[in-house]
């Protein structure tokens, strides 16, 4: 895969630069620093492409505006598939996050659609208060440990090689929530355990 090769080359260049500037010492006692370097490279390998991150940030802003300016108290569960230059198709996946079997069936349906195979990337959008499964806020590193019941909106971006999940916390009354700045969640806080692409 060309993207992985490029990421690995970037990591090697970064490591060479660190060695040259004295930022990393290469001796027998630096095993832990080498392990950190390898972790950084692995994270780079699994990073979303810049254009996908920009599109996700744009979509997050749209969601925040809809809730704040449009007076909508939430969002419906759906998958957005990108086919290039801001062209999206949308598939409603109502009740997909009610149980493991519902989610698996919904993803199977999404994968069976002919336009899913040609999509460049996908966004999965769901409101936390409408989710019964998975409870990523209990089993994984969660940034709001003092308020596990905090409502919000998840946006998870997927390519064939990587994913990232953002969470927009909602403050205030349920009928008139105030969206806060999105938070990029830990990689373990993912909504989908199986691939979205065929």
């Amino acid at each position: 895969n060309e993207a992985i090769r490029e990421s690995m080359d970037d990591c090697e260049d970064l490591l060479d630069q660190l060695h040259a500037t004295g930022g990393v010492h290469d001796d027998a006692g630096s095993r832990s620093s080498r392990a950190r370097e390898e972790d950084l490279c692995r994270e780079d390998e699994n990073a979303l492409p810049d254009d996908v991150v920009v599109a996700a940030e744009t979509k997050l802003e749209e969601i925040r505006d809809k809730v704040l300016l449009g007076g909508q108290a939430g969002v419906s569960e759906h998958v957005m598939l990108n086919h290039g230059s801001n062209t999206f198709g949308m598939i409603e996946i109502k009740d997909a996050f009610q149980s493991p079997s519902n989610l698996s069936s919904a993803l199977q349906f999404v994968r069976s659609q002919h336009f899913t195979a040609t999509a460049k990337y996908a966004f999965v959008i769901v409101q936390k208060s409408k989710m019964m499964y998975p409870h990523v806020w209990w089993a994984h590193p969660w940034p709001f440990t003092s308020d596990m019941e905090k409502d919000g909106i998840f946006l998870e971006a997927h390519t064939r090689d990587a994913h990232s999940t953002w969470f927009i916390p909602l403050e205030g009354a349920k009928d008139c929530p105030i969206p806060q700045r999105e938070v990029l969640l830990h990689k373990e806080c993912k909504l989908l355990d199986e691939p979205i692409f065929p």
Side-chain angles (χ1 to χ4, degrees):
N1 188 329
E2 188 63 31
I4 291 173
R5 269 191 232 111
E6 287 177 17
S7 292
M8 291 302 293
D9 288 344
D10 291 344
C11 285
E12 288 171 3
D13 292 344
L14 178 62
L15 291 175
D16 289 343
Q17 186 178 27
L18 285 172
H19 284 287
T21 61
V24 175
H25 303 287
D26 196 12
D27 59 1
S30 67
R31 184 165 169 75
S32 63
S33 66
R34 273 181 280 185
R36 281 193 300 273
E37 292 170 14
E38 289 172 9
D39 287 345
L40 285 172
C41 289
R42 242 181 265 113
E43 286 176 17
D44 257 7
E45 260 179 50
N46 297 326
L48 289 172
D50 290 342
D51 62 325
V52 178
V53 172
V54 168
E57 289 170 348
T58 301
K59 185 62 184 172
L60 287 162
E61 192 65 35
E62 283 176 24
I63 292 169
R64 206 175 9 266
D65 287 348
K66 261 186 200 174
V67 173
L68 187 61
L69 304 174
Q72 289 187 352
V75 298
S76 62
E77 305 94 307
H78 61 280
V79 174
M80 296 182 68
L81 299 163
N82 176 271
H83 292 89
S85 68
N86 294 327
T87 305
F88 284 94
M90 189 172 92
I91 302 173
E92 291 285 334
I93 53 171
K94 188 170 174 54
D95 297 330
F97 292 92
Q98 295 299 303
S99 70
S101 60
N102 282 15
L103 186 54
S104 184
S105 295
L107 290 175
Q108 185 176 1
F109 174 76
V110 170
R111 283 191 300 268
S112 73
Q113 303 305 303
H114 71 280
F115 48 85
T116 303
T118 59
K120 182 178 176 187
Y121 58 87
F123 294 154
V124 178
I125 299 168
V126 62
Q127 188 160 349
K128 183 175 177 264
S129 61
K130 295 179 182 179
M131 290 176 63
M132 296 299 290
Y133 174 85
H135 282 174
V136 298
W137 53 94
W138 285 107
H140 303 289
W142 186 246
F144 309 103
T145 55
S146 63
D147 187 3
M148 299 297 262
E149 300 305 315
K150 179 185 291 290
D151 195 15
I153 300 168
F154 289 98
L155 182 146
E156 188 163 281
H158 284 266
T159 64
R160 285 165 177 75
D161 305 322
H163 81 278
S164 287
T165 308
W166 288 266
F167 182 71
I168 300 174
L170 298 176
E171 300 287 344
K174 282 188 173 190
D175 60 339
C176 189
I178 300 168
Q180 305 300 304
R181 176 62 56 198
E182 71 273 2
V183 175
L184 179 62
L185 299 177
H186 189 281
K187 287 284 187 192
E188 289 181 25
C189 289
K190 63 180 184 174
L191 303 177
L192 306 183
D193 286 334
E194 53 185 275
I196 198 164
F197 296 107

